[in-house]
């Protein structure tokens, strides 16, 4: 009778939080009793998209060196996340809370460990940049938007009837109410 051996592997990695994925991969490697050579051999079988393209560009020596391949994949994922953060825009019909959550997630992946004081202006800038142009211009023209709560509550809520075009008024008000109820933002 042949002994069945189950192999633990994480879901394939294409993009996202490379640090978290590699932690999961390490857990699986330990469960499978893989050494560094086995890790290096198995790694490319679990990579997709940008991550696999990065691995394919490694030298033969780097491909055999699990640590080098891991480091290169993490660095590439950081650049991909930053690119995603800078390109992220509010999608039609998307809740502001989801848009803000995605921005925070992308920034955290691009700049892990960045403190809240440093994150806040980056998030505010990109949040404003990703709003519909007419809304973003009106908020910037107001001049006193200093943080996300002010952008979401003070400006949008108190000036929505007068400053935001009618087609955005209801959607913005509903999203702000939802974010206030969920505790995502506070009323200033």
């Amino acid at each position: 009778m042949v002994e069945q051996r189950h192999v633990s592997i994480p879901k394939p990695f294409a993009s996202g939080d490379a640090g978290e994925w590699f932690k999961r991969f390490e857990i699986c490697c330990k469960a499978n009793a893989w050494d560094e050579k086995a890790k290096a051999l198995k790694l490319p079988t679990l990579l997709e998209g940008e991550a696999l393209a990065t691995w394919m560009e490694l030298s033969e020596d780097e491909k055999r060196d699990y640590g080098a391949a891991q480091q290169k994949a993490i660095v590439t994922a950081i650049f991909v996340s930053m690119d995603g953060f800078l390109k992220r825009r509010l999608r039609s019909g998307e809740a502001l809370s989801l848009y803000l959550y995605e921005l925070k997630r992308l920034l955290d992946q691009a700049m892990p460990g960045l403190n809240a004081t440093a994150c806040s202006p980056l998030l505010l800038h990109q949040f404003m940049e990703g709003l519909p142009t007419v809304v973003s211009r009106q908020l910037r023209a107001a001049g006193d938007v200093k943080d996300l709560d002010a952008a979401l509550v003070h400006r949008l809520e108190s000036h929505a009837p007068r400053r935001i075009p009618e087609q955005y008024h209801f959607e913005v008000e509903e999203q702000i109410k939802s974010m206030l109820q969920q505790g995502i933002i506070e009323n200033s």
Side-chain angles (χ1 to χ4, degrees):
M1 184 172 194
V2 176
E3 178 186 340
Q4 285 188 331
R5 182 159 189 249
H6 296 281
V7 176
S8 297
I9 57 171
K11 292 180 183 177
F13 179 75
S15 64
D17 189 340
E20 180 182 323
W21 187 87
F22 273 102
K23 286 177 187 172
R24 291 175 187 261
F25 183 68
E26 290 290 335
I27 291 167
C28 293
C29 289
K30 188 175 182 176
N32 297 326
W34 292 343
D35 61 10
E36 293 297 305
K37 186 177 178 181
K39 289 178 191 180
L41 188 63
K42 305 288 185 182
L43 178 62
T45 68
L46 295 169
L47 301 177
E48 296 177 342
E50 292 252 3
L52 180 58
T54 298
W55 186 87
M56 299 289 280
E57 293 295 319
L58 296 176
S59 70
E60 290 304 314
D61 287 340
E62 289 173 314
K63 288 177 181 177
R64 287 189 294 272
D65 180 350
Y66 169 70
Q70 176 188 31
Q71 188 62 33
K72 192 79 156 200
I74 289 172
V75 169
T76 300
I78 287 171
F79 283 112
V80 169
S81 293
M82 181 54 82
D83 189 51
F85 174 76
L86 294 172
K87 290 179 178 175
R88 184 67 164 86
R89 301 291 183 261
L90 180 67
R91 296 178 185 113
S92 178
E94 180 179 35
L96 288 174
S97 57
L98 178 59
Y99 170 55
L100 182 57
Y101 169 80
E102 286 292 316
L103 284 175
K104 288 178 179 179
R105 185 185 62 78
L106 288 166
L107 183 58
D108 185 53
Q109 288 173 4
M111 304 178 94
L114 189 65
N115 68 40
T117 304
C119 281
S120 187
L122 293 170
L123 283 168
L124 175 61
H125 171 79
Q126 195 56 39
F127 178 83
M128 299 283 283
E129 192 69 22
L131 292 174
T133 305
V134 68
V135 175
S136 180
R137 281 186 189 150
Q138 289 174 348
L139 288 171
R140 291 177 199 277
D144 63 348
V145 177
K146 305 277 190 263
D147 59 40
L148 284 169
D149 287 350
L152 291 167
V153 178
H154 179 66
R155 285 288 130 210
L156 293 177
E157 188 176 67
S158 64
H159 298 288
R162 294 175 292 173
R163 300 183 123 176
I164 294 179
E166 189 65 36
Q167 70 230 42
Y168 300 112
H169 177 81
F170 179 76
E171 181 179 342
V172 168
E173 260 190 10
E174 290 303 306
Q175 291 180 13
I176 290 170
K177 286 177 190 174
S178 172
M179 291 173 77
L180 285 166
Q181 290 170 347
Q182 295 172 36
I184 295 170
I185 59 172
E186 296 177 9
N187 199 347
S188 51

